[in-house]
Structure formats: structure tokens, C-alpha cells
């Protein structure tokens, strides 16, 4: 299955992608995770990306296109992949099409997760991640058993720098301006499947499964 999960920050792309990984045994390709890893390691790409990310803006297309192009060629993508957070602009979508063409592949579906703007702010401000194992929590919707401590490994739970309210507003604006045109882009290509992202996590997963398995 070759799938894109499209949707604004906080729509649940990462959470849903992880469940799909477990079910189908194909990799999740999250450009946000890859970029955060590069920032943490202090690689030249990470140093370049950090300013854009902290400001809630987009990292330049050529950087993320390069990341995805390289990642898609790895052996674990042979049976499919889930793109989470990429593409985010029309030029990225065009570059993806070109790369997949070179690899002799085609997208199967683009799932658009639809969530109200106000719900997104609440979801994002409450989001916490384990510093050690990366597991996600939410202070209101999925709180850890012990405050600020990961249920799985006991690691410290931290808030992403770009999950502060002011940066979130900027990220949502960037989504509206630069990423939302991709809904029409993929609808015109007959690939778009809209899913209600306001439902409970498991219900959203069921809707995604039904959507991607529908002819
Ligand atoms: P995410 O974890 O997907 O919310 O991404 C976090 C941040 O990484 C974004 O706000 C952007 O600054 C950057 N980023 C992730 N994916 C992309 C992309 N496809 N294009 C440009 N910037 C990206």
C-alpha cells in the first residue's frame, strides 16, 4: 500500500500512521520526525532546518524532497509506505510524482484527515512526547499514569518546541496557505479519500482502512 496521510498539524496523522505500520508492516515516513532527528544530531541539514521549524514555517522544498527521494529507495519501502507530513506544497507533490515515476511506482490513496481548527489547537498544546522512546501522550485525552513520565519506559515527557500556542497558529496558517491546495490536487487525480478526524482514534483507523480498501 502506497499511501499519503494528509491533514493539518494535530489531525492525528502520526498516530494513525503508527497503527497502519503495525497492521501492514510497511514503514511510516515522517519528514517531521526525520528533520527533528537531524536537529537533535546537529547535522548540517538539521542546523539549516531548525530555524524554519521553530518559526512554524516550512523547510525548503529541495531539502524535504531530497530526504523523501532517498528514503523511498530503501528496501523496506518495496511493499509500500505511509507518507506522514509530506508532501506539504504543490511543488513537493509534483516532485513526489516524478520520484515515484522513476521508481516505477504509483500512489494508491491519499487520505485527508479532516478536523476543526479549534480542536487542533487543543490537541497540539496538550501533546507530549517521551524524550527516550518517542511515545506520544496528551495531557487531557491520553494522560500518562504518572505526571510527565512515560508509561512505557519511564522517560521524561516533553513538549515539542513548535507545539507552543503562538507557533501552532502560524503552522495552521501555513497549512491553509500552502498545504490545503493539495486536497484539490489529489481530488482531481481521483486519489483523495476524506476521513472524519474528529472521531475517536480507533474509529478513525477503521474509516481509514475502509477508505483505502474501497475500490
Ligand atoms: P510535523 O512533525 O509533520 O508537524 O513537522 C514539523 C515541522 O517540520 C513542520 O512545521 C515543518 O517546519 C517541518 N516539515 C515537516 N515536513 C515538512 C515538509 N514536507 N515540508 C516542509 N517542512 C516540513
Amino acid at each position: 500500500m502506497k499511501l499519503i496521510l494528509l491533514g493539518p498539524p494535530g489531525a492525528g496523522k502520526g498516530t494513525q500512521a503508527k497503527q497502519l505500520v503495525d497492521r501492514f508492516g510497511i514503514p511510516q515516513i515522517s519528514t517531521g520526525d526525520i528533520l527533528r532527528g537531524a536537529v537533535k544530531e546537529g547535522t548540517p541539514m538539521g542546523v539549516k532546518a531548525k530555524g524554519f521549524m521553530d518559526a512554524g514555517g516550512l523547510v525548503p522544498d529541495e531539502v524535504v524532497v531530497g530526504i523523501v527521494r532517498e528514503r523511498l529507495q530503501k528496501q523496506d519501502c518495496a511493499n509500500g509506505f505511509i507518507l506522514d507530513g509530506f508532501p506539504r506544497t504543490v511543488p513537493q507533490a509534483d516532485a513526489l510524482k516524478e520520484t515515484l515515476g522513476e521508481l516505477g511506482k504509483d500512489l494508491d490513496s491519499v487520505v485527508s484527515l479532516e478536523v476543526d481548527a479549534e480542536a487542533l489547537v487543543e490537541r497540539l498544546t496538550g501533546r507530549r512526547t517521551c524524550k527516550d522512546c518517542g511515545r506520544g501522550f496528551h495531557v487531557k485525552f491520553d494522560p500518562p499514569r504518572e505526571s510527565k513520565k512515560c508509561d512505557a519506559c519511564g522517560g521524561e515527557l516533553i513538549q515539542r518546541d513548535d507545539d507552543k500556542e503562538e507557533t501552532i497558529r502560524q503552522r495552521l496558517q501555513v497549512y491553509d496557505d500552502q498545504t490545503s491546495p493539495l486536497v484539490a490536487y489529489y481530488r482531481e487525480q481521483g486519489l483523495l479519500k476524506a476521513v472524519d478526524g474528529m472521531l475517536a482514534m480507533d474509529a478513525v483507523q477503521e474509516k481509514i482502512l475502509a477508505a483505502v480498501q474501497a475500490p
Side-chain angles (χ1 to χ4, degrees):
M1 188 198 334
K2 296 174 285 309
L3 179 71
I4 292 176
L5 286 181
L6 191 63
K13 300 186 297 293
T15 307
Q16 295 299 330
K18 286 189 175 66
Q19 292 192 29
L20 293 167
V21 166
D22 292 342
R23 188 178 294 263
F24 294 104
I26 53 175
Q28 167 194 13
I29 303 177
S30 158
T31 40
D33 284 349
I34 295 170
L35 289 166
R36 273 185 293 280
V39 170
K40 206 169 162 187
E41 282 175 32
T43 67
M45 182 177 78
V47 171
K48 189 170 172 194
K50 189 174 183 328
F52 297 103
M53 296 170 78
D54 286 350
L58 293 184
V59 173
D61 286 339
E62 64 272 19
V63 176
V64 281
V65 165
I67 291 175
V68 173
R69 195 186 295 265
E70 206 175 290
R71 184 65 188 84
L72 284 174
Q73 292 177 32
K74 298 235 163 100
Q75 186 50 38
D76 64 341
C77 294
N79 293 325
F81 50 80
I82 303 150
L83 284 167
D84 156 16
F86 180 94
R88 263 177 153 100
T89 64
V90 170
Q92 289 180 21
D94 287 339
L96 174 65
K97 197 169 186 172
E98 195 184 312
T99 299
L100 290 175
E102 284 162 16
L103 296 170
K105 293 181 178 174
D106 250 333
L107 286 171
D108 296 315
S109 311
V110 177
V111 170
S112 168
L113 291 176
E114 307 197 326
V115 180
D116 298 342
E118 275 318 302
L120 294 173
V121 176
E122 189 179 25
R123 285 183 180 194
L124 289 164
T125 48
R127 196 155 77 162
R128 300 291 181 274
T129 313
C130 174
K131 184 162 119 316
D132 297 330
C133 74
R135 190 175 149 186
F137 293 87
H138 191 283
V139 293
K140 184 168 166 193
F141 305 124
D142 183 19
R145 282 194 296 271
E146 215 179 307
S147 171
K148 297 184 185 162
K149 220 171 171 187
C150 177
D151 291 354
C153 76
E156 185 195 351
L157 300 187
I158 52 169
Q159 184 177 36
R160 274 170 49 172
D161 287 341
D162 59 353
D163 276 348
K164 310 271 156 65
E165 184 150 354
E166 201 185 299
T167 317
I168 288 170
R169 301 263 174 212
Q170 173 62 16
R171 290 165 64 205
L172 294 175
Q173 188 63 49
V174 166
Y175 178 82
D176 279 348
D177 294 344
Q178 300 197 54
T179 310
S180 66
L182 293 179
V183 172
Y185 177 101
Y186 285 119
R187 187 181 292 121
E188 278 160 24
Q189 295 182 23
L191 290 169
L192 195 84
K193 291 166 177 166
V195 166
D196 181 358
M198 294 295 289
L199 301 171
M201 205 167 78
D202 290 347
V204 174
Q205 179 73 191
E206 274 176 36
K207 297 264 181 205
I208 292 176
L209 292 173
V212 298
Q213 282 159 3

